[in-house]
Amino acid sequence: MNHPKNYLGYALALAADGDTDAVYAENVINAISGGRRGAILLNLVDDQPNGDSLTHLGAEVVRFARDQHGSVTAALAEFDTWTGSRTRFTELAPRWAQLARSVAIQYEPTRLIITALERLHENGVSEPTLADVALEATRINQPLAVEVFFTQHRRDAVLTADGEIAESELADPTVYKSGIHFQFKYQLYHLGILTTGGTDDKQAVLNNPWRLEHAIGLSR
């Protein structure tokens, strides 16, 4: 689930005729539960006891698809052609990437990471590492940063008894969620926010650079 089209595509599948899961698996990706979960987290889909429904943001995705392709079915057919492509989304489908970026920037973890990277940039850290970003994020919003960056079973190691961050533990790649340094980092790369994609190699996690494509300096 390392591509933004997979979450946009769930909103389209929900709006399409036919069974949502079948439409999604046929046109987007087979990981249905992951696509649905991401669409809910990004506020594209509302999870209700009587079934999923599009949010206002999800409805805008559907409107955009119809405007660009004529119908949801045609848009999904286009999504199908993107499956397996390694081309950066900003190059593959620039207008869709811009829409996906607008969606992602409303997601609080995205804003947390961007704010942390802007602050690191202002402090002269030109090639931030995952440990740099995680530590800076905890200084901005510790509860959210802990939830976003660290695995549940290693949080006792990362947090000291008085609730501070044990900075030495940040050099251990196993404390981090793979979702942050692989899937989510790739999402941010495809959206043109970060300069490089992620890695699922725990040996490479700490050296994989996190750098904004366009840092602006928050104090200006």
Side-chain angles (χ1 to χ4, degrees), residues 2 21 97 101 137 158 214:
N2 58 2
D21 288 1
R101 181 172 176 146
V158 172
H214 303 288

Side-chain angles (χ1 to χ4, degrees), residues 102-194:
S102 297
V103 170
I105 206 67
Q106 299 180 55
Y107 184 47
E108 194 172 4
T110 304
R111 297 198 300 269
L112 175 65
I113 289 169
I114 291 174
T115 302
L117 286 169
E118 285 284 6
R119 285 172 49 157
L120 288 166
H121 172 74
E122 289 185 327
N123 291 331
V125 182
S126 59
E127 290 288 335
T129 65
L130 176 59
D132 292 329
V133 182
L135 181 59
E136 192 65 35
T138 64
R139 292 168 176 159
I140 299 166
N141 185 336
Q142 182 169 304
L144 179 60
V146 168
E147 177 64 31
V148 168
F149 285 91
F150 306 120
T151 62
Q152 184 72 44
H153 71 284
R154 296 302 308 277
R155 289 177 191 173
D156 287 345
V158 172
L159 291 170
T160 65
D162 57 359
E164 298 299 318
I165 299 296
E167 294 187 29
S168 61
E169 294 294 329
L170 303 186
D172 180 353
T174 67
V175 304
Y176 300 100
K177 290 181 174 180
S178 63
I180 188 67
H181 59 69
F182 181 46
Q183 290 95 338
F184 196 44
K185 188 167 186 282
Y186 254 116
Q187 293 269 344
L188 299 180
Y189 164 72
H190 275 296
L191 296 176
I193 294 173
L194 297 183

Side-chain angles (χ1 to χ4, degrees), residues 6-24:
N6 297 328
Y7 307 116
L8 300 175
Y10 192 86
L12 297 183
L14 185 60
D17 293 332
D19 178 74
T20 298
D21 288 1
V23 171
Y24 185 77

Side-chain angles (χ1 to χ4, degrees), residues 72-91:
V72 170
T73 299
L76 284 166
E78 182 71 10
F79 272 48
D80 193 21
T81 68
W82 299 337
T83 302
S85 173
R86 296 193 178 190
T87 304
R88 196 177 191 185
F89 202 34
T90 51
E91 300 170 11

